[in-house]
Amino acid sequence: MKVTASDRCQLKGWESRLMSADEAAELIQDGMIVGMSGFTRAGEAKDVPLALARRAQRDPLKISLMTGASLGNDIDRHLTEAGVLARRMPFQVDATLRAAINRGEVMFIDQHLSETVEQLRNKQLGHIDVAVIEACAITEDGGIVPTASVGNSASFAILADRVIVEINLNTPEALIGLHDIYIPQMRPSRQPIPVTDAGSRIGTPHIAIDSDKIAAIVLTEGQDSPSTVGVPNEDTRRIARHLIDFFEHEVEVGRLPPSLMPLQAGIGTMANAVLNGLLDGPFENLTMYSEVLQDSTFNLLDSGRMTFASGSSITLSEECGKRVWSHLADYRDRIVLRPQEMSNHPGIVRRLGIIAINTALEADIYGNVNSTHVNGTKMMNGIGGSGDFARNGHLSIFITKSTAKNGALSSLVPFVSHVDHNEHDVDILVTEHGLADLRGLAPRERAGVIIEHCADPLYRPALREYFSEACQRGGHTPHCLEKALAWHIAAEKEGSMLSLTRGD
Amino acid sequence: MKVTASDRCQLKGWESRLMSADEAAELIQDGMIVGMSGFTRAGEAKDVPLALARRAQRDPLKISLMTGASLGNDIDRHLTEAGVLARRMPFQVDATLRAAINRGEVMFIDQHLSETVEQLRNKQLGHIDVAVIEACAITEDGGIVPTASVGNSASFAILADRVIVEINLNTPEALIGLHDIYIPQMRPSRQPIPVTDAGSRIGTPHIAIDSDKIAAIVLTEGQDSPSTVGVPNEDTRRIARHLIDFFEHEVEVGRLPPSLMPLQAGIGTMANAVLNGLLDGPFENLTMYSEVLQDSTFNLLDSGRMTFASGSSITLSEECGKRVWSHLADYRDRIVLRPQEMSNHPGIVRRLGIIAINTALEADIYGNVNSTHVNGTKMMNGIGGSGDFARNGHLSIFITKSTAKNGALSSLVPFVSHVDHNEHDVDILVTEHGLADLRGLAPRERAGVIIEHCADPLYRPALREYFSEACQRGGHTPHCLEKALAWHIAAEKEGSMLSLTRGD
Ligand SMILES: CC(C)(COP(=O)(O)OP(=O)(O)OC[C@H]1O[C@@H](n2cnc3c(N)ncnc32)[C@H](O)[C@@H]1OP(=O)(O)O)[C@@H](O)C(=O)NCCC(=O)NCCS
Ligand SMILES: CC(C)(COP(=O)(O)OP(=O)(O)OC[C@H]1O[C@@H](n2cnc3c(N)ncnc32)[C@H](O)[C@@H]1OP(=O)(O)O)[C@@H](O)C(=O)NCCC(=O)NCCS
């Protein structure tokens, strides 16, 4: 039987606030700060943003747009093409928006994902005029039940002057009760956040706001975009294998329990492949305390190897989505979706002792990691939550293929062209060639291990040569400054670092 | 009346463990991992380390030495000169040791100060063979009362096989009860750490260990070294003034309460000067949740402007020390010393909403900060706790003079030669010329503000030129890679960046 609006909306008199996406979009004015739901392409409002883009095509306007993280359904593309985005934060993954950011047309504020709403709450980032939140349902007293992500939606709705709710009739009712919405108390009387394991439930199942603020209710049936995660290949399988061997060894010597520690895994093909690798490992009773629950999470839950997964969103491939969304109730006791302020909270990350697995674009011989800027200048996506986890976790692991662009670029370089994670935040570095265990090593020791274990053999001689020349000059972290960026300069000029391997 | 050992040692049969420093030092063998008390030149064991250095001069041996942070009384110098240090972590400030590190002779593992004991506890950094802890007293059941610092002493003593206690008869009895020793529970059942304000007392006044582990008791009367903090000058006063104007403005617009938020201030002359600046500001009921309590802390407490200060050590000038140590009891209700794992805990830093004020060696036009590596290679001191606070605090402020070496070096550069704190972790940058409020700004916007507000006027044209050329090339964070490190290359070759100001 088809779901109707009244099935999902218990708020008295809601009908009077029902309107079309175009009408609701009129609430958004030029110059406003707008907060929208959406995290890792899940749970974004589907229709109002597009209505806004259509309107801006006729009648130009610009806003500052904040979200949880990336949006699906090409919304960032449509908004960029319509010239709507003056400012965008705290994360994105859209090719069109990325190009506009790199042309300097959209001011992108790339933030640690745990920090955005804290800064909003403290009035450090301005004031949210309108929040646009996708919902599965609205409760009797105006509580908003989010959909496939929580992201920053709760704080956006709480802090906004007016809230537009898009009720998505296509979302399963089993979402109700899945979320755990907790907002830290205001300082200075903030109490400890009582999360003590991945499964802790400490809040409410919906976003509680003054229902008078709900200025518009829009009905939609849009779908989340399927994840774009690529299939595992030989390289990602090798990376996974190195990591699993490492975990096995850590368990053997008593440094990790057989259930490991709660896992966080970044976005993308590689992180997903590594988690899938755990299906074949000897580990049991795994848990996850992460941002996005991907296909691999559900594979692990289905296999019985993982007992619980906490995230801020669910982003699945089409195939996995079919399986999960139609049987969501079966997972109800084993998953929870939290605000990203909770999923990424530095104190919880330290308390639980998370194993953080994130992806690098490149790393240098001392273990500094660049996750965001191609050639030090062009933004890829953003730092996302990687800094929340890498700084504060129990073990911080970065993975990357040893080369990019069919071997033309080495992902191991003398000096990273941009630093997102410095050597203090990088315990383990893994490529398809091997794993560098950097714990307790000084920079000069790190260099040897990274070059010999992680770099592509083609680039090793040039890296060894750089390091040895640098050591002759001295320093705790030896460098030849005039050659430090030569690899990137070659990449910029020639599209390739291969000339470095020939010593010219 | 002179204090005697039995006044300070309640442990039954302690006399049998009494020995000379030379005898106690014999417990330390070649290849061992040794944990010593000491944090910001306060509370280090005075005699056993020197006895060890003497022995090594005759009979070479090497150890891995861990401390809280820096040691006083030239102990790192003596140990370095005696060739004792194979490995050293997590922080140091000694010129002789620094030179050895930069020659690659001592492997220095530069760590976030909150992390060392967490990694030890999880067996990621090896096992402590011997701990050497300075104490004010030993309780009946072997509890160790630390002296002017806690640092990592508690966990070192708990994790070590054997403990050497140096009872310092010169320390005031009023130290007893001043410390708050709390050790987080083992994961996975760790509970929230219940610190909710600077004054929270959550632990015990001494380090509780199995008293059988106390293998030696040594009596000493050594003094802590006085702090080397320089006197405020025109530049530091200006920096303080800019910052206080900023705080006043934040209070005015309602972004900060009149008592501000708990303050953390880094080591050194500048941080101390800024805190002293608060004596003249309009702020009341200030609190501090920091690492080291310096002269400025006690000036603020004495003035009544500060109500409570929490730290991990007390490091004072000779003059201020005379006043404080002889009247320590008067401060008992207003100060507490904690393990550095607590003073720097990411979760507490986020919970309390700390204002972190740390010093940069240099910053780049996008707000990335280098606090450690001169010319990207030579270690100065270490990252210390700055990363714990800057990443997780409410406001992260970095201060620096706009130039160094009499203007020959600009501390504002196109591209920092090393990144300790990336743009995400730098909200406010201050030099004697002005303050750059970087909150909510994209990199291209940050550059304008930093160049115009912070750089020395002499270097501004060259920075503007770099930025404008870089913008023509594009990117989220524009750079001219082949010129990015030119300033440091000039500094290396010519000892000066002045050639850049002449465009040659
Ligand atoms: C780093 C990151 C871009 C890698 O993504 P991925 O999908 O796993 O990795 P891929 O190998 O497919 O690389 C993505 C692109 O970067 C390119 N790339 C990879 N390494 C590169 C390098 N060293 N230099 C230049 N380009 C490189 C790839 O060629 C590919 O380009 P394409 O899209 O044109 O094919 C991604 O993980 C990311 O954005 N991370 C930062 C945020 C984060 O860590 N989030 C986790 C918590 S939210
Ligand atoms: C950065 C730091 C070295 C500054 O110390 P400070 O005493 O306040 O500052 P000073 O201006 O006196 O600078 C110290 C030295 O660095 C030099 N220096 C400063 N800026 C420099 C630059 N841009 N390039 C090269 N040298 C520079 C100074 O000339 C001075 O050298 P000298 O000792 O030979 O005279 C110090 O704060 C530090 O070690 N910080 C890192 C750890 C930290 O932040 N701890 C806080 C929490 S524990």
Side-chain angles (χ1 to χ4, degrees):
Chain A
M1 224 176 59
K2 210 170 147 47
V3 177
T4 64
S6 45
D7 294 334
R8 293 294 176 84
C9 205
Q10 312 297 321
L11 179 67
K12 234 199 205 127
W14 65 272
E15 296 88 344
S16 66
R17 308 189 205 180
L18 193 65
M19 58 183 87
S20 71
D22 290 303
E23 287 165 322
E26 292 292 332
L27 297 173
I28 299 173
Q29 306 288 324
D30 187 54
M32 279 186 168
I33 300 182
V34 179
M36 290 190 187
S37 64
F39 189 96
T40 57
R41 299 156 45 89
E44 75 280 352
K46 308 289 186 296
D47 291 348
V48 174
L50 297 183
L52 184 70
R54 281 195 302 273
R55 179 176 132 218
Q57 297 280 14
R58 301 187 309 267
D59 182 11
L61 90 171
K62 289 213 175 284
I63 63 167
S64 294
L65 176 60
M66 300 183 187
T67 57
S70 58
L71 304 178
N73 286 298
D74 292 331
I75 286 174
D76 269 321
R77 173 166 72 79
H78 291 296
L79 291 172
T80 305
E81 286 172 354
V84 173
L85 301 179
R87 310 177 75 71
R88 180 76 176 84
M89 67 183 81
F91 191 73
Q92 61 79 40
V93 300
D94 181 83
T96 305
L97 172 54
R98 178 184 299 151
I101 289 168
N102 285 323
R103 284 193 306 272
E105 291 165 12
V106 176
M107 292 294 106
F108 177 49
I109 296 92
D110 175 20
Q111 295 195 303
H112 299 304
L113 294 188
S114 74
E115 288 197 342
T116 309
V117 297
E118 190 78 84
Q119 290 182 12
L120 272 172
R121 191 180 293 134
N122 298 315
K123 309 196 184 87
Q124 300 197 70
L125 282 183
H127 175 79
I128 303 257
D129 296 294
V130 178
V132 187
I133 311 290
E134 187 183 69
C136 169
I138 302 182
T139 65
E140 237 174 10
D141 44 4
I144 300 169
V145 179
T147 58
S149 72
V150 181
N152 286 324
S153 299
S155 289
F156 287 165
I158 290 167
L159 297 169
D161 290 333
R162 304 216 266 179
V163 181
I164 300 172
V165 182
E166 270 196 17
I167 299 188
N168 189 331
L169 300 177
N170 233 328
T171 50
E173 202 179 334
L175 277 169
I176 303 174
L178 196 75
H179 310 90
D180 186 53
I181 311 297
Y182 178 91
I183 306 289
Q185 284 118 342
M186 288 303 281
R187 298 165 179 145
S189 48
R190 184 175 294 179
Q191 294 305 302
I193 296 164
V195 168
T196 54
D197 60 50
S200 295
R201 284 193 164 269
I202 62 171
T204 55
H206 56 255
I207 302 166
I209 59 165
D210 172 2
S211 66
D212 288 348
K213 290 208 304 188
I214 300 181
I217 294 174
V218 175
L219 301 180
T220 170
E221 304 195 340
Q223 302 269 357
D224 280 344
S225 304
S227 86
T228 52
V229 158
V231 289
N233 58 29
E234 193 47 35
D235 284 340
T236 60
R237 262 191 290 269
R238 282 201 189 152
I239 291 173
R241 192 65 249 165
H242 293 309
L243 206 42
I244 285 159
D245 288 347
F246 166 75
F247 288 146
E248 288 191 34
H249 179 255
E250 292 295 295
V251 172
E252 218 171 276
V253 299
R255 277 196 292 259
L256 281 177
S259 59
L260 305 181
M261 305 288 282
L263 299 163
Q264 176 262 339
I267 52 167
T269 304
M270 268 182 284
N272 200 53
V274 165
L275 282 192
N276 270 326
L278 291 172
L279 282 169
D280 310 321
F283 314 107
E284 303 280 353
N285 298 314
L286 295 167
T287 60
M288 187 156 199
Y289 196 87
S290 194
E291 296 171 334
V292 49
L293 309 184
Q294 306 186 61
D295 287 14
S296 49
T297 308
F298 289 90
N299 295 341
L300 285 164
L301 289 169
D302 289 348
S303 75
R305 293 210 175 259
M306 181 170 280
T307 57
F308 203 96
S310 165
S312 193
S313 73
I314 299 175
T315 307
L316 303 174
S317 67
E318 200 153 345
E319 198 197 323
C320 183
K322 276 188 195 139
R323 188 174 94 222
V324 169
W325 292 120
S326 57
H327 292 85
L328 189 63
D330 297 348
Y331 295 98
R332 281 275 294 272
D333 303 341
R334 288 176 290 160
I335 58 177
V336 61
L337 295 183
R338 308 179 190 276
Q340 67 200 70
E341 188 182 13
M342 292 297 117
S343 61
N344 289 36
H345 194 282
I348 301 174
V349 170
R350 177 65 55 93
R351 186 185 300 152
L352 302 188
I354 284 174
I355 297 178
I357 307 171
N358 291 290
T359 309
L361 281 178
E362 60 176 6
D364 69 25
I365 55 173
Y366 299 114
N368 299 288
V369 161
N370 172 9
S371 301
T372 55
H373 283 69
V374 174
N375 264 343
T377 58
K378 296 231 166 10
M379 173 54 62
M380 178 67 77
N381 301 323
I383 195 167
S386 52
D388 293 316
F389 292 100
R391 174 72 42 100
N392 301 308
H394 169 68
L395 255 183
S396 169
I397 298 167
F398 280 88
I399 57 180
T400 179
K401 275 178 276 185
S402 70
T403 63
K405 308 294 174 203
N406 288 319
L409 305 178
S410 176
S411 300
L412 283 302
V413 293
F415 188 100
V416 278
S417 57
H418 180 90
V419 177
D420 293 293
H421 307 287
N422 60 31
E423 50 136 342
H424 315 286
D425 299 332
V426 182
D427 297 316
I428 307 285
L429 189 65
V430 198
T431 70
E432 73 279 18
H433 295 297
L435 180 145
D437 183 350
L438 306 172
R439 293 174 295 176
L441 299 188
R444 286 171 188 243
E445 298 169 311
R446 296 166 77 101
V449 182
I450 291 173
I451 295 171
E452 303 310 328
H453 291 206
C454 296
D456 189 275
L458 182 65
Y459 288 98
R460 278 184 206 168
L463 290 170
R464 285 186 200 123
E465 204 176 299
Y466 178 90
F467 177 55
S468 124
E469 187 183 343
C471 283
Q472 279 156 34
R473 301 197 192 175
H476 176 60
T477 305
H479 274 298
C480 309
L481 288 186
E482 77 289 357
K483 297 183 183 178
L485 290 170
W487 297 45
H488 299 91
I489 294 168
E492 204 174 61
K493 292 210 176 123
E494 302 155 24
S496 161
M497 294 174 177
L498 286 167
S499 61
L500 276 305
T501 66
R502 295 188 299 270
D504 51 74
Chain B
M1 223 177 59
K2 210 171 144 51
V3 176
T4 65
S6 45
D7 294 335
R8 293 295 177 85
C9 204
Q10 313 297 322
L11 179 66
K12 234 200 205 124
W14 64 272
E15 295 90 343
S16 67
R17 309 190 206 179
L18 193 65
M19 57 184 88
S20 71
D22 288 306
E23 287 166 323
E26 292 291 335
L27 296 173
I28 299 173
Q29 306 290 325
D30 186 54
M32 279 187 169
I33 300 181
V34 178
M36 290 189 187
S37 64
F39 189 95
T40 56
R41 298 156 44 89
E44 74 280 351
K46 308 288 185 294
D47 291 347
V48 174
L50 296 183
L52 184 68
R54 282 195 301 273
R55 178 174 132 219
Q57 297 280 18
R58 301 189 307 270
D59 181 13
L61 91 171
K62 288 213 175 283
I63 63 167
S64 293
L65 175 61
M66 301 184 186
T67 57
S70 57
L71 304 179
N73 286 301
D74 292 332
I75 285 175
D76 269 322
R77 172 166 72 78
H78 291 295
L79 291 172
T80 304
E81 286 172 354
V84 173
L85 302 179
R87 310 177 75 70
R88 181 76 177 85
M89 65 182 83
F91 191 73
Q92 62 77 40
V93 300
D94 182 82
T96 304
L97 172 54
R98 180 184 297 151
I101 290 168
N102 285 323
R103 286 193 304 271
E105 290 166 11
V106 176
M107 291 296 106
F108 176 50
I109 297 91
D110 174 20
Q111 295 196 303
H112 299 305
L113 295 187
S114 74
E115 288 197 342
T116 308
V117 296
E118 190 78 84
Q119 290 182 11
L120 272 172
R121 193 180 292 135
N122 298 314
K123 310 195 184 86
Q124 300 195 71
L125 282 184
H127 175 78
I128 303 255
D129 296 294
V130 177
V132 187
I133 311 292
E134 187 184 69
C136 168
I138 301 183
T139 65
E140 235 174 15
D141 43 4
I144 301 170
V145 179
T147 58
S149 71
V150 181
N152 285 324
S153 300
S155 289
F156 287 166
I158 290 167
L159 295 170
D161 290 333
R162 305 215 265 179
V163 181
I164 299 171
V165 181
E166 269 195 20
I167 299 189
N168 189 330
L169 300 177
N170 233 331
T171 50
E173 201 180 334
L175 277 169
I176 302 174
L178 195 76
H179 310 90
D180 186 52
I181 311 295
Y182 178 92
I183 306 289
Q185 284 119 341
M186 288 302 282
R187 298 165 180 145
S189 48
R190 184 176 293 180
Q191 295 304 302
I193 296 164
V195 169
T196 54
D197 60 50
S200 295
R201 285 191 164 272
I202 62 171
T204 55
H206 56 254
I207 302 167
I209 58 164
D210 172 2
S211 66
D212 289 347
K213 290 207 305 187
I214 300 182
I217 295 174
V218 175
L219 301 180
T220 170
E221 304 195 339
Q223 303 269 358
D224 281 343
S225 305
S227 87
T228 51
V229 158
V231 289
N233 58 28
E234 193 46 37
D235 283 341
T236 60
R237 263 192 289 270
R238 281 201 188 154
I239 291 173
R241 193 65 252 165
H242 293 308
L243 206 43
I244 284 157
D245 289 348
F246 167 76
F247 288 146
E248 289 191 31
H249 179 254
E250 292 295 296
V251 172
E252 217 172 277
V253 299
R255 277 196 292 260
L256 281 177
S259 59
L260 305 179
M261 306 288 283
L263 299 163
Q264 175 262 337
I267 52 166
T269 304
M270 269 183 281
N272 199 53
V274 164
L275 282 192
N276 269 327
L278 290 171
L279 283 168
D280 311 320
F283 315 107
E284 303 280 355
N285 298 314
L286 295 168
T287 59
M288 189 156 197
Y289 196 87
S290 195
E291 295 171 335
V292 49
L293 309 185
Q294 307 186 60
D295 287 14
S296 49
T297 307
F298 289 90
N299 296 341
L300 286 164
L301 288 168
D302 289 348
S303 75
R305 295 212 174 258
M306 182 171 281
T307 56
F308 203 97
S310 164
S312 192
S313 73
I314 300 176
T315 307
L316 302 175
S317 67
E318 201 153 346
E319 197 197 325
C320 184
K322 276 189 197 138
R323 187 175 96 223
V324 169
W325 292 120
S326 57
H327 293 84
L328 190 64
D330 297 349
Y331 294 98
R332 280 276 294 271
D333 302 341
R334 290 177 289 158
I335 59 176
V336 62
L337 296 183
R338 308 178 190 276
Q340 66 200 71
E341 189 182 13
M342 293 296 117
S343 61
N344 289 37
H345 194 281
I348 300 174
V349 171
R350 177 65 55 91
R351 185 186 301 153
L352 302 188
I354 284 172
I355 298 179
I357 307 171
N358 291 289
T359 309
L361 280 178
E362 60 175 6
D364 69 25
I365 55 174
Y366 300 113
N368 300 289
V369 161
N370 172 11
S371 303
T372 55
H373 283 69
V374 174
N375 265 342
T377 59
K378 296 231 168 7
M379 173 54 61
M380 177 67 78
N381 300 324
I383 194 166
S386 53
D388 293 317
F389 292 100
R391 175 70 44 98
N392 301 309
H394 171 67
L395 256 182
S396 169
I397 298 168
F398 281 88
I399 58 181
T400 179
K401 277 179 275 185
S402 70
T403 62
K405 309 294 173 203
N406 289 320
L409 304 178
S410 176
S411 300
L412 282 303
V413 293
F415 188 99
V416 278
S417 58
H418 180 89
V419 177
D420 292 293
H421 307 287
N422 59 32
E423 50 136 341
H424 316 286
D425 299 331
V426 183
D427 296 317
I428 307 286
L429 190 65
V430 198
T431 69
E432 74 278 19
H433 294 297
L435 180 146
D437 183 351
L438 305 173
R439 293 174 294 175
L441 299 188
R444 286 170 188 244
E445 298 169 310
R446 296 166 78 102
V449 182
I450 291 173
I451 295 171
E452 303 311 327
H453 291 207
C454 296
D456 189 275
L458 181 66
Y459 288 98
R460 278 185 206 169
L463 290 170
R464 287 186 200 121
E465 203 177 297
Y466 178 89
F467 177 55
S468 122
E469 186 183 344
C471 283
Q472 279 156 35
R473 301 196 192 175
H476 175 60
T477 305
H479 275 297
C480 309
L481 289 186
E482 77 289 357
K483 298 184 183 177
L485 290 170
W487 296 45
H488 299 90
I489 294 169
E492 204 174 60
K493 292 209 175 122
E494 302 154 27
S496 160
M497 294 174 177
L498 285 166
S499 62
L500 274 307
T501 65
R502 297 187 298 269
D504 51 78

